Amino acid sequence: MSITIAFGVIVMLLLFPSCGGKEKKLGEAITERDSLPSMATMDVVTYISDSGVTRYRMDADEWLVYDRKKPSYWAFEKGVYLEQFDSVFNVDASIKADTAYYYDKQKLWKLMGHVDIKNRKGERFNTELLYWNQATEKVYSDRFIRIEQPDRIITGYGFDSNQQMTNYQIRNMGGVFYVDEEEQKAPADSVN
């Protein structure tokens, strides 16, 4: 029995120092719950229908919903890609952005980074910042914009458009316009 007691004392003496001394470091508790997303979804591919017909497809690596923030918003910080389909499911228009935020109460999209848009007419728009207000059905930016059309490239700083990107105004405009030299030759003057 004395051997058992001695062995127990030795084990307690060896293990006792390991129970104290080192304080474990923990991360700070999150006190503001609005800094956490209420929903986090990875590798999203979703289809959106209108009256039972699939009209849109959205791809995103990450979709975060912050519904406790003021104002509440959805975050697509790893990029987003949207496609619009025609009646036979061909891609009619597309939007791609490095980062996007959707403010759900205001119905406002903020697209940032390399924003690339193709409209139904085949025109391609490139900018670094674009706002799409679904409530007013307007698209606008105050940054550099490049619009590639079949016969010309238009550039400017700032623009306003309808949400289909078919009727737009460009501020501080410039561009590259291709000219057919045969058409530009002046007709012979009848006086000479």
Side-chain angles (χ1 to χ4, degrees), residues 59-177:
D59 284 332
D61 288 339
E62 180 180 69
W63 178 9
L64 305 173
V65 175
Y66 293 92
D67 62 353
R68 294 181 194 105
K69 285 278 197 187
K70 300 289 185 231
S72 60
Y73 64 91
W74 303 352
F76 301 91
E77 295 177 343
K78 293 184 179 179
V80 67
Y81 178 71
L82 298 155
E83 290 178 331
Q84 181 181 22
F85 300 115
D86 64 10
S87 60
V88 291
F89 301 108
N90 293 319
V91 176
D92 206 12
S94 64
I95 300 172
K96 184 177 182 180
D98 291 342
T99 305
Y101 296 99
Y102 176 65
Y103 298 93
D104 55 335
K105 302 287 191 261
Q106 295 91 350
K107 296 187 183 285
L108 177 69
W109 283 91
K110 180 181 181 182
L111 307 169
M112 302 180 322
H114 294 95
V115 180
D116 182 55
I117 298 172
K118 185 183 130 216
N119 69 6
R120 291 180 178 167
K121 295 177 1 182
E123 297 172 317
R124 181 160 242 111
F125 298 77
N126 300 106
T127 187
E128 63 183 29
L129 177 66
L130 184 85
Y131 293 96
W132 172 21
N133 189 327
Q134 290 179 308
T136 62
E137 298 184 355
K138 298 291 181 190
V139 177
Y140 55 93
S141 178
D142 62 352
R143 303 288 172 91
F144 178 79
I145 182 90
R146 180 180 186 271
I147 302 171
E148 188 175 331
Q149 297 175 335
D151 58 343
R152 65 183 140 222
I153 297 171
I154 303 170
T155 60
Y157 285 89
F159 86 108
D160 297 295
S161 175
N162 62 345
Q163 68 182 3
Q164 291 81 22
M165 305 284 286
T166 56
N167 185 13
Y168 47 85
Q169 292 181 323
I170 303 167
R171 297 184 291 276
N172 300 319
M173 191 167 102
V176 177
F177 300 89

Side-chain angles (χ1 to χ4, degrees), residues 172-191:
N172 300 319
M173 191 167 102
V176 177
F177 300 89
Y178 300 102
V179 177
D180 186 3
E181 291 182 16
E182 294 297 319
E183 290 181 17
Q184 295 301 316
K185 289 184 180 179
D189 191 353
S190 63
V191 177

